[in-house]
Coordinates of all heavy atoms in Angstrom, one line a residue:
M13 N -6.3 -10.6 10.0 CA -5.4 -10.1 11.1 C -6.2 -9.7 12.3 O -7.3 -9.4 12.2 CB -4.6 -8.8 10.6 CG -3.6 -9.2 9.5 SD -2.5 -7.8 9.1 CE -3.6 -6.8 8.2
R14 N -5.6 -9.7 13.4 CA -6.3 -9.3 14.7 C -5.4 -8.4 15.5 O -4.2 -8.4 15.3 CB -6.6 -10.6 15.5 CG -5.4 -11.4 16.0 CD -6.0 -12.5 16.8 NE -4.9 -13.3 17.2 CZ -4.0 -13.2 18.2 NH1 -4.1 -12.1 19.0 NH2 -3.0 -14.1 18.5
A15 N -6.0 -7.6 16.4 CA -5.3 -6.6 17.1 C -4.8 -7.3 18.4 O -5.2 -8.3 18.7 CB -6.2 -5.5 17.5
P16 N -3.8 -6.7 19.1 CA -3.3 -7.2 20.3 C -4.3 -7.3 21.4 O -5.2 -6.5 21.4 CB -2.1 -6.3 20.7 CG -2.3 -5.1 20.1 CD -3.2 -5.3 18.8
P17 N -4.2 -8.2 22.4 CA -5.3 -8.3 23.4 C -5.2 -7.1 24.5 O -6.2 -6.9 25.1 CB -4.9 -9.6 24.1 CG -3.5 -9.9 23.9 CD -3.2 -9.2 22.5
R18 N -4.2 -6.2 24.5 CA -4.2 -5.2 25.4 C -3.7 -3.9 24.8 O -3.1 -4.0 23.7 CB -3.3 -5.6 26.7 CG -1.8 -5.8 26.2 CD -0.8 -6.3 27.4 NE 0.3 -6.7 27.0 CZ 1.4 -6.1 26.8 NH1 1.3 -4.8 26.8 NH2 2.6 -6.6 26.3
P19 N -4.0 -2.8 25.4 CA -3.6 -1.5 24.7 C -2.1 -1.4 24.7 O -1.4 -1.9 25.5 CB -4.2 -0.4 25.7 CG -5.2 -1.1 26.5 CD -4.8 -2.6 26.6
S20 N -1.6 -0.7 23.6 CA -0.2 -0.6 23.5 C 0.0 0.8 22.7 O -0.8 1.2 21.9 CB 0.4 -1.7 22.6 OG 1.6 -1.5 22.2
P21 N 1.2 1.5 23.0 CA 1.5 2.7 22.3 C 1.8 2.4 20.8 O 1.7 3.3 20.0 CB 2.7 3.3 23.1 CG 3.3 2.2 23.8 CD 2.3 1.2 24.0
C22 N 2.2 1.2 20.5 CA 2.4 0.9 19.2 C 1.3 -0.1 18.7 O 0.6 -0.7 19.3 CB 3.7 0.0 19.0 SG 5.2 1.0 19.4
S23 N 1.0 0.1 17.3 CA 0.0 -0.9 16.8 C 0.9 -2.1 16.3 O 1.9 -2.0 15.8 CB -0.7 -0.2 15.6 OG 0.2 0.1 14.6
R24 N 0.2 -3.3 16.6 CA 0.7 -4.6 16.1 C -0.3 -5.3 15.4 O -1.5 -5.3 15.9 CB 1.3 -5.3 17.3 CG 2.4 -4.5 18.0 CD 2.9 -5.4 19.1 NE 3.8 -4.6 20.0 CZ 5.1 -4.4 19.8 NH1 5.7 -4.9 18.8 NH2 5.8 -3.7 20.6
E25 N 0.0 -6.1 14.4 CA -0.9 -6.9 13.6 C -0.5 -8.3 13.6 O 0.8 -8.6 13.5 CB -1.1 -6.4 12.1 CG -1.7 -4.9 12.2 CD -3.0 -4.8 12.6 OE1 -3.8 -5.8 12.5 OE2 -3.4 -3.7 13.0
F26 N -1.4 -9.3 13.8 CA -1.0 -10.6 13.8 C -1.8 -11.4 12.8 O -2.9 -10.9 12.5 CB -1.3 -11.2 15.3 CG -0.5 -10.6 16.3 CD1 -1.0 -9.3 16.9 CD2 0.7 -11.0 16.7 CE1 -0.3 -8.7 17.9 CE2 1.4 -10.4 17.7 CZ 0.9 -9.2 18.4
C27 N -1.4 -12.5 12.4 CA -2.2 -13.4 11.5 C -3.4 -13.9 12.3 O -3.3 -14.4 13.5 CB -1.4 -14.6 11.1 SG -2.3 -15.8 10.2
G28 N -4.6 -13.7 11.7 CA -5.8 -14.2 12.3 C -6.0 -15.7 12.5 O -6.7 -16.1 13.3
E29 N -5.3 -16.4 11.8 CA -5.3 -17.9 11.8 C -4.3 -18.5 12.8 O -4.7 -19.3 13.6 CB -5.1 -18.5 10.4 CG -6.2 -18.2 9.5 CD -6.1 -18.9 8.2 OE1 -5.4 -20.1 8.2 OE2 -6.5 -18.5 7.2
C30 N -3.0 -18.0 12.8 CA -2.1 -18.7 13.7 C -1.4 -17.8 14.7 O -0.7 -18.2 15.6 CB -1.0 -19.3 12.8 SG 0.1 -18.1 12.0
G31 N -1.8 -16.5 14.7 CA -1.2 -15.6 15.7 C 0.2 -15.0 15.4 O 0.9 -14.4 16.2
T32 N 0.8 -15.4 14.2 CA 2.2 -15.0 13.8 C 2.1 -13.5 13.8 O 1.4 -12.9 13.1 CB 2.6 -15.5 12.6 OG1 2.6 -17.0 12.6 CG2 4.0 -15.1 12.2
P33 N 3.1 -12.9 14.5 CA 3.3 -11.3 14.3 C 3.7 -11.0 12.8 O 4.6 -11.7 12.2 CB 4.5 -11.0 15.3 CG 4.8 -12.2 16.1 CD 4.2 -13.4 15.4
L34 N 3.0 -10.0 12.3 CA 3.3 -9.6 10.9 C 3.8 -8.2 10.8 O 4.9 -8.0 10.1 CB 1.9 -9.7 10.1 CG 1.3 -11.1 10.0 CD1 -0.1 -10.9 9.3 CD2 2.2 -12.0 9.4
F35 N 3.2 -7.3 11.5 CA 3.6 -5.8 11.3 C 3.6 -5.1 12.7 O 2.8 -5.6 13.6 CB 2.7 -5.0 10.4 CG 2.4 -5.6 9.1 CD1 1.2 -6.4 8.9 CD2 3.3 -5.6 8.1 CE1 0.9 -7.0 7.7 CE2 3.0 -6.2 6.9 CZ 1.8 -6.9 6.6
A36 N 4.4 -4.2 12.8 CA 4.3 -3.2 14.0 C 4.4 -1.8 13.5 O 5.1 -1.5 12.5 CB 5.4 -3.5 15.0
G37 N 3.7 -0.8 14.1 CA 3.7 0.5 13.6 C 3.4 1.4 14.7 O 3.3 1.0 15.9
G38 N 3.3 2.7 14.4 CA 3.1 3.7 15.5 C 4.5 4.2 16.0 O 5.5 4.0 15.5
G39 N 4.3 5.0 17.0 CA 5.5 5.6 17.6 C 6.1 6.8 16.8 O 5.3 7.5 16.2
I40 N 7.4 6.9 16.7 CA 8.1 8.0 15.9 C 8.9 7.5 14.9 O 9.7 6.7 15.1 CB 8.9 8.9 16.9 CG1 8.0 9.4 18.1 CG2 9.5 10.0 16.2 CD1 8.8 10.0 19.2
P41 N 8.8 7.9 13.6 CA 7.5 8.6 13.0 C 6.4 7.7 13.0 O 6.6 6.5 12.9 CB 8.0 9.1 11.7 CG 9.1 8.1 11.3 CD 9.7 7.6 12.6
S42 N 5.2 8.1 13.0 CA 3.9 7.4 13.0 C 3.8 6.6 11.6 O 3.0 5.7 11.7 CB 2.8 8.2 13.4 OG 2.7 9.3 12.4
S43 N 4.4 7.1 10.6 CA 4.3 6.4 9.3 C 5.3 5.2 9.2 O 5.1 4.5 8.3 CB 4.6 7.4 8.2 OG 5.8 7.8 8.3
F44 N 6.0 5.0 10.2 CA 7.0 3.8 10.1 C 6.3 2.5 10.4 O 5.5 2.4 11.3 CB 8.1 4.1 11.1 CG 9.0 2.9 11.3 CD1 10.1 2.8 10.4 CD2 9.0 2.0 12.3 CE1 10.9 1.7 10.5 CE2 9.8 0.9 12.4 CZ 10.8 0.8 11.5
I45 N 6.4 1.5 9.5 CA 6.0 0.1 9.8 C 7.0 -0.7 9.7 O 7.8 -0.8 8.8 CB 4.8 -0.1 8.6 CG1 3.7 0.8 8.7 CG2 4.4 -1.6 8.8 CD1 2.6 0.7 7.6
A46 N 7.1 -1.6 10.8 CA 8.0 -2.7 10.8 C 7.5 -4.0 10.4 O 6.4 -4.4 10.8 CB 8.7 -2.9 12.2
I47 N 8.0 -4.7 9.3 CA 7.6 -5.8 8.9 C 8.4 -7.0 9.5 O 9.6 -7.0 9.4 CB 7.6 -6.0 7.3 CG1 6.7 -4.9 6.7 CG2 7.1 -7.4 6.8 CD1 7.0 -4.7 5.3
Q48 N 7.7 -8.0 10.1 CA 8.5 -9.2 10.7 C 9.0 -10.0 9.6 O 8.3 -10.6 8.7 CB 7.5 -9.9 11.5 CG 6.8 -9.1 12.6 CD 7.8 -8.6 13.7 OE1 8.8 -9.2 14.0 NE2 7.6 -7.4 14.1
V49 N 10.3 -10.0 9.5 CA 11.1 -10.7 8.3 C 10.7 -12.2 8.3 O 10.5 -12.7 7.2 CB 12.6 -10.5 8.4 CG1 13.1 -11.4 9.6 CG2 13.2 -10.9 7.2
G50 N 10.3 -12.8 9.3 CA 9.9 -14.2 9.4 C 8.6 -14.4 8.7 O 8.2 -15.5 8.4
S51 N 7.8 -13.4 8.5 CA 6.5 -13.5 7.8 C 6.5 -13.4 6.3 O 5.6 -13.7 5.7 CB 5.5 -12.4 8.4 OG 5.9 -11.1 7.9
L52 N 7.7 -13.2 5.8 CA 7.9 -13.1 4.3 C 8.1 -14.4 3.7 O 8.8 -15.3 4.3 CB 9.1 -12.1 4.0 CG 9.0 -10.6 4.6 CD1 10.2 -9.9 4.3 CD2 7.8 -10.0 4.0
D53 N 7.6 -14.6 2.5 CA 7.9 -15.9 1.8 C 9.4 -16.0 1.5 O 9.9 -17.1 1.6 CB 7.0 -16.0 0.5 CG 5.5 -16.1 0.8 OD1 5.3 -16.7 1.9 OD2 4.8 -15.8 -0.1
N54 N 10.0 -14.9 1.1 CA 11.4 -15.0 0.7 C 12.2 -13.8 1.4 O 12.4 -12.8 0.7 CB 11.6 -14.9 -0.8 CG 13.1 -15.2 -1.3 OD1 13.9 -15.3 -0.5 ND2 13.2 -15.2 -2.6
P55 N 12.6 -13.9 2.6 CA 13.1 -12.8 3.4 C 14.6 -12.4 2.7 O 15.0 -11.4 2.9 CB 13.3 -13.3 4.8 CG 13.1 -14.8 4.6 CD 12.4 -15.1 3.5
S56 N 15.2 -13.4 1.9 CA 16.5 -12.9 1.4 C 16.4 -11.8 0.3 O 17.4 -11.3 0.0 CB 17.1 -14.2 0.8 OG 16.4 -14.7 -0.3
E57 N 15.1 -11.5 -0.1 CA 14.9 -10.4 -1.1 C 15.0 -9.1 -0.4 O 15.0 -8.1 -1.1 CB 13.7 -10.5 -1.8 CG 13.6 -11.7 -2.7 CD 12.3 -11.9 -3.5 OE1 11.4 -11.1 -3.3 OE2 12.2 -12.8 -4.3
C58 N 14.9 -9.0 0.9 CA 15.0 -7.7 1.6 C 16.3 -7.6 2.5 O 16.7 -8.6 3.1 CB 13.8 -7.7 2.6 SG 12.2 -7.8 1.9
A59 N 16.8 -6.4 2.4 CA 18.1 -6.2 3.2 C 17.7 -5.1 4.2 O 17.0 -4.2 3.9 CB 19.2 -5.7 2.3
P60 N 18.3 -5.2 5.4 CA 18.1 -4.1 6.5 C 18.8 -2.8 5.9 O 19.6 -2.6 5.2 CB 19.0 -4.6 7.5 CG 19.2 -6.0 7.3 CD 19.3 -6.3 5.9
M61 N 18.1 -1.7 6.2 CA 18.5 -0.3 5.9 C 19.1 0.4 7.1 O 19.8 1.3 6.9 CB 17.3 0.5 5.3 CG 16.8 -0.1 4.0 SD 15.3 0.6 3.4 CE 15.2 2.3 3.9
L62 N 18.7 -0.1 8.3 CA 19.2 0.6 9.5 C 18.9 -0.4 10.7 O 18.2 -1.3 10.5 CB 18.5 1.9 9.8 CG 16.9 1.9 9.7 CD1 16.3 1.7 10.9 CD2 16.6 3.4 9.2
D63 N 19.4 0.0 11.7 CA 19.2 -0.9 13.1 C 18.6 0.2 14.0 O 19.1 1.3 14.4 CB 20.5 -1.4 13.6 CG 21.1 -2.4 12.8 OD1 20.4 -3.3 12.3 OD2 22.3 -2.5 12.5
I64 N 17.3 -0.2 14.6 CA 16.7 0.5 15.6 C 16.6 -0.4 16.9 O 16.8 -1.6 16.9 CB 15.3 1.0 15.2 CG1 14.5 -0.3 14.7 CG2 15.4 1.9 14.0 CD1 13.0 0.1 14.3
W65 N 16.3 0.4 18.0 CA 16.3 -0.2 19.3 C 17.6 -1.0 19.7 O 17.6 -2.0 20.3 CB 15.0 -1.1 19.4 CG 13.8 -0.4 19.1 CD1 13.3 0.8 19.7 CD2 12.9 -0.7 18.0 NE1 12.1 1.2 19.1 CE2 11.8 0.3 18.1 CE3 12.8 -1.6 17.1 CZ2 10.8 0.3 17.1 CZ3 11.8 -1.7 16.2 CH2 10.8 -0.7 16.2
T66 N 18.8 -0.4 19.3 CA 20.0 -1.1 19.5 C 20.3 -1.1 21.1 O 21.0 -2.0 21.4 CB 21.2 -0.4 18.7 OG1 21.1 1.0 19.1 CG2 20.9 -0.6 17.2
R67 N 19.7 -0.2 21.8 CA 19.9 -0.3 23.3 C 19.6 -1.5 23.8 O 20.1 -1.9 24.8 CB 19.2 1.0 23.9 CG 19.5 1.1 25.4 CD 18.9 2.4 25.8 NE 17.4 2.2 26.0 CZ 16.6 3.2 26.5 NH1 17.1 4.3 27.0 NH2 15.4 2.8 26.6
S68 N 18.4 -2.2 23.2 CA 17.9 -3.4 23.8 C 18.5 -4.6 23.0 O 18.0 -5.7 23.3 CB 16.5 -3.4 23.6 OG 15.9 -2.3 24.1
A69 N 19.5 -4.4 22.2 CA 20.0 -5.6 21.4 C 20.7 -6.6 22.3 O 21.3 -6.3 23.3 CB 21.0 -5.1 20.3
Q70 N 20.6 -7.8 22.0 CA 21.1 -8.9 22.7 C 22.6 -9.0 22.3 O 23.0 -8.6 21.2 CB 20.4 -10.2 22.4 CG 19.0 -10.3 22.8 CD 18.9 -10.0 24.4 OE1 19.4 -10.7 25.2 NE2 18.1 -9.0 24.6
P71 N 23.5 -9.5 23.2 CA 24.9 -9.5 22.9 C 25.3 -10.4 21.8 O 26.3 -10.2 21.1 CB 25.6 -10.0 24.3 CG 24.4 -10.2 25.2 CD 23.2 -9.9 24.6
W72 N 24.4 -11.3 21.4 CA 24.6 -12.3 20.3 C 24.2 -11.7 19.0 O 24.5 -12.4 17.9 CB 24.1 -13.7 20.7 CG 22.6 -13.6 21.1 CD1 22.2 -13.7 22.4 CD2 21.4 -13.4 20.3 NE1 20.9 -13.6 22.4 CE2 20.4 -13.3 21.1 CE3 21.2 -13.2 19.0 CZ2 19.0 -13.2 20.7 CZ3 19.9 -13.0 18.5 CH2 18.8 -13.0 19.4
D73 N 23.5 -10.6 19.0 CA 23.0 -10.1 17.8 C 24.2 -9.4 17.0 O 24.7 -8.5 17.5 CB 21.9 -9.0 18.0 CG 21.2 -8.5 16.8 OD1 21.4 -9.1 15.7 OD2 20.4 -7.6 16.9
V74 N 24.3 -9.9 15.8 CA 25.4 -9.4 15.0 C 24.8 -8.3 14.0 O 24.1 -8.7 13.1 CB 26.0 -10.5 14.1 CG1 27.2 -9.9 13.3 CG2 26.6 -11.6 15.0
M75 N 25.2 -7.1 14.2 CA 24.6 -6.0 13.3 C 25.6 -5.5 12.4 O 26.9 -5.6 12.7 CB 24.2 -4.8 14.2 CG 22.9 -5.1 15.1 SD 22.4 -3.7 16.0 CE 23.1 -4.1 17.6
N76 N 25.2 -5.2 11.2 CA 26.1 -4.6 10.2 C 26.6 -3.3 10.6 O 25.9 -2.4 10.8 CB 25.3 -4.5 8.8 CG 26.2 -4.1 7.7 OD1 27.2 -3.4 7.8 ND2 25.8 -4.3 6.5
P77 N 28.0 -3.2 10.8 CA 28.5 -1.9 11.3 C 28.4 -0.7 10.3 O 28.4 0.5 10.7 CB 30.0 -2.2 11.5 CG 30.3 -3.4 10.9 CD 29.1 -4.1 10.6
A78 N 28.1 -1.0 9.0 CA 27.9 0.0 8.1 C 26.5 0.7 8.0 O 26.3 1.8 7.5 CB 28.2 -0.5 6.7
L79 N 25.5 0.1 8.8 CA 24.2 0.6 8.8 C 24.1 1.6 9.8 O 24.7 1.5 10.9 CB 23.2 -0.5 9.0 CG 23.0 -1.6 8.0 CD1 22.0 -2.6 8.4 CD2 22.6 -1.0 6.6
P80 N 23.2 2.6 9.6 CA 22.9 3.6 10.7 C 22.3 3.0 11.9 O 21.5 2.0 11.8 CB 21.9 4.6 10.2 CG 21.9 4.3 8.7 CD 22.5 3.0 8.5
K81 N 22.6 3.4 13.2 CA 22.1 2.8 14.3 C 21.4 3.8 15.2 O 21.7 5.0 15.3 CB 23.3 2.2 15.3 CG 24.2 1.4 14.6 CD 23.8 0.0 14.6 CE 24.8 -1.0 14.0 NZ 24.8 -1.0 12.6
F82 N 20.2 3.5 15.8 CA 19.4 4.2 16.6 C 19.2 3.5 17.9 O 18.6 2.4 17.9 CB 18.1 4.6 16.0 CG 18.4 5.4 14.7 CD1 18.4 4.8 13.5 CD2 18.5 6.8 14.7 CE1 18.7 5.4 12.2 CE2 18.8 7.5 13.6 CZ 18.8 6.7 12.4
P83 N 19.5 4.0 19.1 CA 19.3 3.3 20.3 C 17.8 3.0 20.7 O 17.5 2.1 21.4 CB 19.9 4.2 21.4 CG 20.1 5.5 20.8 CD 20.1 5.3 19.4
K84 N 16.9 3.9 20.3 CA 15.6 3.7 20.5 C 14.8 3.8 19.2 O 15.2 3.2 18.2 CB 15.0 4.6 21.5 CG 15.6 4.5 22.9 CD 15.3 5.5 23.9 CE 13.9 5.3 24.4 NZ 13.5 6.4 25.4
N85 N 13.7 4.6 19.2 CA 13.0 4.8 17.9 C 13.8 5.7 16.9 O 14.8 6.3 17.3 CB 11.6 5.5 18.2 CG 10.6 4.7 18.8 OD1 10.6 3.4 18.7 ND2 9.8 5.2 19.7
L86 N 13.2 5.7 15.8 CA 13.8 6.6 14.7 C 13.5 8.1 15.1 O 12.5 8.4 15.7 CB 13.2 6.4 13.3 CG 13.5 5.1 12.6 CD1 12.7 4.9 11.5 CD2 14.9 5.1 12.3
P87 N 14.4 9.0 14.8 CA 14.3 10.4 15.3 C 13.1 11.0 14.3 O 12.9 10.5 13.1 CB 15.5 11.2 15.0 CG 16.1 10.3 14.0 CD 15.7 8.8 14.3
P88 N 12.3 12.0 14.7 CA 11.3 12.6 13.9 C 12.0 13.3 12.7 O 13.1 13.7 12.7 CB 10.7 13.6 14.8 CG 11.2 13.5 16.1 CD 12.3 12.6 16.0
R89 N 11.2 13.2 11.6 CA 11.7 13.8 10.4 C 11.3 15.3 10.3 O 10.3 15.7 10.7 CB 11.3 13.0 9.1 CG 12.0 11.8 9.0 CD 11.6 11.2 7.6 NE 12.4 9.9 7.6 CZ 12.5 9.3 6.4 NH1 12.0 9.8 5.3 NH2 13.3 8.1 6.5

């Protein structure tokens, strides 16, 4: 894995061979790690638990209405 080329408030990790985004972390809470679903061998084994950064969601993004929604980061615990 390699780090991003510029400073960021979040940490991001990429594949060292192809540059594919793998993980993102940092922010609030700092223990939160987002895994890029496209990096998984079988993404159908994982189901979303919540929706974050909904304020930036694209109009075509279909979110499950039963999941908790957060317009930005998760609130501190």
Side-chain angles (χ1 to χ4, degrees):
M13 291 188 283
R14 64 179 173 80
R18 60 185 168 85
S20 171
C22 295
S23 62
R24 299 181 192 276
E25 300 292 334
F26 301 85
C27 174
E29 290 186 29
C30 68
T32 299
L34 299 173
F35 310 101
I40 302 171
S42 61
S43 60
F44 177 77
I45 297 173
I47 300 172
Q48 304 296 323
V49 72
S51 70
L52 301 174
D53 288 335
N54 190 358
S56 63
E57 292 181 355
C58 300
M61 296 172 27
L62 50 86
D63 292 315
I64 55 176
W65 306 300
T66 57
R67 184 174 77 173
S68 310
Q70 297 301 305
W72 46 259
D73 187 10
V74 180
M75 291 184 256
N76 182 340
L79 294 178
K81 309 273 184 276
F82 299 92
K84 295 174 75 179
N85 287 330
L86 291 170
R89 288 187 177 197

